[in-house]
Structures are given as C-alpha cells and as structure tokens.
Amino acid sequence: MKKIALLSLIVLLGSRPVLSQSVLKDVNEAILLAQKNNKDILISRQNAQVQQWNVALAKGSRLPQVKFTTAFDYNFVLPTQLIPAQFFGGKEGEFRSIQFGVPYNLTAGIESSIPIWNAPLRQDVEIAKVNQKIGTLQTLVLQDDISTQTARVYFATVFTKMYIDISRQNLANNDSITNIAAERKQKGLIDQLEYNRVRATQLAIEDALHQNEMAYQKNLNQLRLLVGDSTALVEGIPFTLALVKQMLPSISFKTDEPSTAAPRLQLRAEQFLLAKETLKKEQKQKLPLLSGYARYSEQAQRNQLNFLNFNEKWFGIGVAGLRFEVPIYSGRLRQNSIQRAKVNVEIAQMQLNNESLKYQTETRDLRITYGQLLRSLQANEETYQLNEENMRLVLIKYKSGVLSYDQYLNVFNEVLNAQNKYLRTLADLMINGKLLEIRNAY
C-alpha cells in the first residue's frame, strides 16, 4: 500500500501542469475580450493618454518660466587698449597699453519671463484639447474596427467547424458507398470505371475535409490574435433559425440617417474642428506680442582660481522690462500659411461630408442585406433538411441496388449545394446582424 501511495505521489509531482483554455461561448464574449486585451487597442489607448500631457505642455507655455543660469569664462587673451600717455603725466604723442579685465569670470543668476499677451499660445491650448479628443476617438474607431473583425472571424471559425462536422458525415456516408462498390467490383457487378469514380469522389471529400480543417486552424489563430488570448477555443454551435432570431433581438430600423454619435463621424467632426482651430492660430500670428522679463546675476572676476573665497567682492546686475513685438513682413510666410490652413479646412469639411454619406450608405446596405438574408434563410434551411432526407433515402436505395451510382452522385451533389448555400446564408446573416447591432449601439 505504501509503495502504491509513493508511486502515485511521484506521478503527480512529475506530471506537467495542464494549461486552462478559455472557451468563447458567443460572439459578444469574443468582442469584449478583444476590446480588453487586443494589443492594437491597448497601444491606441496609451497614445490617447500621451495627448493629455500635450494639453498640460500647451498650458504650461503660458505660465511664467524661471531658470537658474551660470557661466564660467576663461579669457586666455585679454583685450588691450592704447591710451595717450599725457593722461598719466607722460609726454604728448606717447601711448601706454592698458589691459582690461581679468582671466577668470564666474557668473550666476536667475532669469524669468512671462507671456502677457500671446494669442497663438492661447490657441495652442485649444488645438491640444482637440488633439486629445481626436486621440480618444481614434481609439474608439479602432475598437469598432477590431470588433467588426472579431465578429467576422468568430463566425468564420464557427461555421468552418460546422463545415468540418458536415464533411465528416459526408465522408462517412461515402465510405459506405466505397465499401459497397468494392464488394460489387469483386463480384463483377460493376466495372473498374464506376469503382474509380466512387473512389475519386471519396478522395475529393477527404481533401475538402482537410481544407476545412486547415481553414479552421487559420481562423482560430486569427481569432486568438484579435482577442489577445493564445488558448481561446470556439464551441461548434448548431445554429438554427430560431437561435438566430434569439441571438439578434436588438436589430431595429429606426431611421436611415446615420447617428452622429458613431466614432467615425465624431472623429471626422473633430478633425474638421482641428483644421478650423489651426486656421485661427495662423491668423493670430499677425497679432502683436507682449511679454515681460527679469534677470538678476552676480559676477566674480579673479586673477586666480579662488572663487570659493567669499571675502572677495561679487558684482550684481539686475534688469526687468517689457518686450513688445509687431510682425511687419515675413516674406509672405504668414499669408501662405493662412491660405494653406483655409484649404485644409475645406478638405476636412469634404471628408466629414463624404464619411457621413459613406456611413449612411454602408448602413443601408447592411440593412437591405440582413433583411434579404433573413427572408432567404428559412427557405434554405428547409431545402437543406429536405436534401438531408434525400441523402438518407438514396443511401438506402443505392445499398439495395435500386439506384445507380450516377443517380446517387446527382443527389449527393444536390446535398452539397444545399449544405453550402444554407451555411453561407446563415453565416452572412450572423455577420451582418452583428455589424448592425454594433452600429445600432450609437
């Protein structure tokens, strides 16, 4: 008994930990996970936070600026001036050379400045605020794009899984047909040509199954990248018309006009506002500027490096004043900047109008497509069920020898077409419905 307990303990200690895998039960869970963990969205949020600091920097430029300055100068060649000797009691016409200054100079002081009237600086604050809002809206636009991509890839993954299940069922049905054909060939009831056709159909189904399995893995990898979870799995849910109606209860067609709360339209509106604020700044560059300044410094002049000797004298210098500037001529730089800003305003206005029209058209197309798919799904589902029943009947009749292989193959091809059309219609309906649901949230 002790040996068994010890062996069990060794097995438990030596076993590898099993990584837990998160299962995405529906598209809403996948979208929420993407909005929380997607790396592109996280980076965009960080960039939006950077814009907050730009607002603080713009406001700080209007506040007083104070700084400490110091400088050390070594005059290795001092200036010399000739002075008439008669000033020192010498003869007229003679000169003496006088050397000015000392080799070592140390200066320390404080400088301050403040913009009293500076319209462009004030406008910079408004521009920074608009850029901050643009950064936030860019994140929302990216979040919408990622949500749309996630919805598409999620349903692509789910329906590829359904294709795999159906392909396996088709392969199982064809395997029985192949076995029957092999037995009949051995008994001499069919020739090699018919057996080869049966076998070729089986290989085609196997290839379709492998292609679907590859597509499922690719879609699943893309979905994991979008949601930021490398272990995410998708359950294969057998969707029906009733489940579709239950999953999309919030679809409504209130109006054809696009909501101005849509992030795409808000972003264009803010970009238009930014262009107008930039134009105002360029126009204000022509206004006068008024600023105040003050400086105080002390200077020590020494023949030797003994600045730590505070018994030696320091000389103070202080100044305060106002600076007034009036721009007169700048080589038409300001005029050209204003004209360029005006054109950017016109461009931003056209982009806003165009984006609104595109958004409205896309929404209408989604609604038309969704309504048509909803009407078509019931007929496709009924056709799919009828062909499934036909497949069961044709298998029975082929096994009993009532139908030829050509007749079986015709029914089988009809079943494949019905399966593909039904799943394709259902997938498009789910995708379009979710995209409409995202747009109706604004």
Side-chain angles (χ1 to χ4, degrees):
M1 189 68 183
K2 294 181 180 180
K3 292 182 179 180
I4 295 176
L6 181 60
L7 181 61
S8 300
L9 180 61
I10 294 174
V11 172
L12 289 175
L13 293 177
S15 61
R16 295 182 178 179
V18 179
L19 296 177
S20 61
Q21 294 178 320
S22 57
V23 179
L24 304 177
K25 298 180 180 179
D26 54 40
V27 65
N28 294 325
E29 183 177 346
I31 290 175
L32 289 176
L33 196 60
Q35 293 176 352
K36 179 181 177 181
N37 297 331
N38 184 268
K39 297 299 184 292
D40 291 331
I41 294 179
L42 295 178
I43 293 172
S44 182
R45 287 173 183 161
Q46 292 293 330
N47 291 331
Q49 290 183 355
V50 171
Q51 296 297 331
Q52 297 178 1
W53 295 106
N54 291 337
V55 175
L57 291 174
K59 290 181 178 179
S61 63
R62 300 179 58 198
L63 300 177
Q65 308 293 319
V66 181
K67 61 182 177 181
F68 169 78
T69 63
T70 183
F72 171 75
D73 297 324
Y74 169 57
N75 300 312
F76 56 90
V77 177
L78 295 175
T80 302
Q81 180 67 42
L82 296 178
I83 304 297
Q86 61 186 8
F87 288 109
F88 303 98
K91 296 180 180 181
E92 185 178 356
E94 293 181 356
F95 296 89
R96 290 186 181 182
S97 59
I98 303 297
Q99 195 173 55
F100 292 91
V102 292
Y104 304 104
N105 292 275
L106 179 64
T107 303
I110 294 178
E111 296 182 5
S112 65
S113 61
I114 179 173
I116 299 175
W117 173 257
N118 193 321
L121 283 182
R122 187 176 303 175
Q123 196 62 32
D124 282 339
V125 177
E126 299 302 321
I127 291 175
K129 290 180 180 179
V130 176
N131 277 323
Q132 180 184 6
K133 193 169 183 180
I134 287 176
T136 302
L137 289 172
Q138 285 174 337
T139 301
L140 293 178
V141 172
L142 177 61
Q143 186 170 294
D144 261 11
D145 291 340
I146 295 297
S147 298
T148 299
Q149 294 179 40
T150 303
R152 293 183 182 277
V153 176
Y154 174 83
F155 287 120
T157 306
V158 169
F159 284 99
T160 306
K161 183 66 168 60
M162 295 178 66
Y163 272 114
I164 292 175
D165 296 337
I166 292 176
S167 297
R168 287 174 178 168
Q169 181 62 43
N170 291 336
L171 183 61
N173 293 335
N174 197 263
D175 283 344
S176 62
I177 296 295
T178 304
N179 293 333
I180 294 173
E183 293 177 359
R184 291 179 178 177
K185 178 178 176 298
Q186 291 178 354
K187 296 178 181 180
L189 300 177
I190 61 174
D191 58 9
Q192 185 67 36
L193 176 61
E194 182 170 340
Y195 176 78
N196 290 345
R197 293 178 63 196
V198 173
R199 177 59 179 160
T201 303
Q202 184 185 33
L203 294 175
I205 297 174
E206 289 180 358
D207 181 66
L209 175 61
H210 296 326
Q211 293 293 331
N212 287 327
E213 289 173 343
M214 179 183 66
Y216 174 76
Q217 288 300 325
K218 288 184 176 181
N219 290 333
L220 185 59
N221 290 337
Q222 187 65 27
L223 182 62
R224 288 170 174 174
L225 178 63
L226 288 170
V227 303
D229 187 347
S230 60
T231 64
L233 295 176
V234 175
E235 292 182 341
I237 305 176
F239 292 114
T240 61
L241 180 62
L243 183 57
V244 170
K245 293 180 179 179
Q246 180 181 355
M247 293 180 64
L248 302 173
S250 59
I251 301 297
S252 60
F253 307 126
K254 301 176 183 177
T255 175
D256 287 337
E257 295 298 325
S259 173
T260 56
R264 282 170 52 184
L265 301 184
Q266 288 190 67
L267 177 60
R268 287 299 185 186
E270 288 299 319
Q271 289 173 339
F272 175 56
L273 179 59
L274 175 62
K276 292 196 295 185
E277 295 294 338
T278 304
L279 174 60
K280 291 180 182 179
K281 178 184 176 181
E282 296 297 340
Q283 291 171 337
K284 291 179 179 180
Q285 296 285 3
K286 299 167 63 176
L287 299 177
L289 305 177
L290 179 63
S291 60
Y293 63 91
R295 292 191 300 271
Y296 176 78
S297 63
E298 290 191 354
Q299 187 180 69
Q301 300 179 7
R302 303 286 188 268
N303 285 315
Q304 296 178 350
L305 288 172
N306 60 347
F307 293 107
L308 296 178
N309 184 4
F310 295 102
N311 293 324
E312 296 287 342
K313 191 174 181 179
W314 285 67
F315 303 95
I317 302 174
V319 61
L322 296 174
R323 182 179 180 85
F324 184 70
E325 299 180 26
V326 179
I328 298 176
Y329 180 72
S330 61
R332 297 188 59 82
L333 292 178
R334 280 188 295 272
Q335 290 83 349
N336 293 334
S337 297
I338 291 173
Q339 293 301 321
R340 180 182 60 185
K342 287 181 178 179
V343 173
N344 286 334
V345 171
E346 295 175 359
I347 293 174
Q349 177 69 71
M350 288 188 291
Q351 288 176 335
L352 174 59
N353 296 336
N354 186 46
E355 191 67 42
S356 178
L357 182 60
K358 287 171 58 179
Y359 191 84
Q360 182 178 1
T361 303
E362 290 172 4
T363 304
R364 287 176 176 173
D365 289 345
L366 280 174
R367 290 172 177 175
I368 293 172
T369 303
Y370 178 79
Q372 180 60 42
L373 290 171
L374 196 60
R375 289 187 292 269
S376 300
L377 182 63
Q378 189 170 8
N380 289 330
E381 185 178 30
E382 186 176 354
T383 303
Y384 169 71
Q385 292 172 353
L386 290 174
N387 279 275
E388 286 290 307
E389 184 178 358
N390 290 342
M391 189 65 192
R392 289 191 293 271
L393 295 174
V394 77
L395 282 173
I396 295 174
K397 292 185 176 183
Y398 181 80
K399 291 177 182 179
S400 61
V402 176
L403 295 180
S404 65
Y405 180 73
D406 285 334
Q407 292 173 309
Y408 162 80
L409 190 60
N410 290 334
V411 175
F412 179 72
N413 289 331
E414 292 174 358
V415 170
L416 289 181
N417 292 332
Q419 290 172 350
N420 292 333
K421 190 174 182 180
Y422 170 67
L423 291 180
R424 188 165 55 248
T425 302
L426 187 56
D428 291 341
L429 178 65
M430 299 296 293
I431 293 173
N432 281 268
K434 191 58 191 177
L435 298 186
L436 274 175
E437 192 176 55
I438 293 174
R439 294 198 174 205
N440 284 351
Y442 301 110

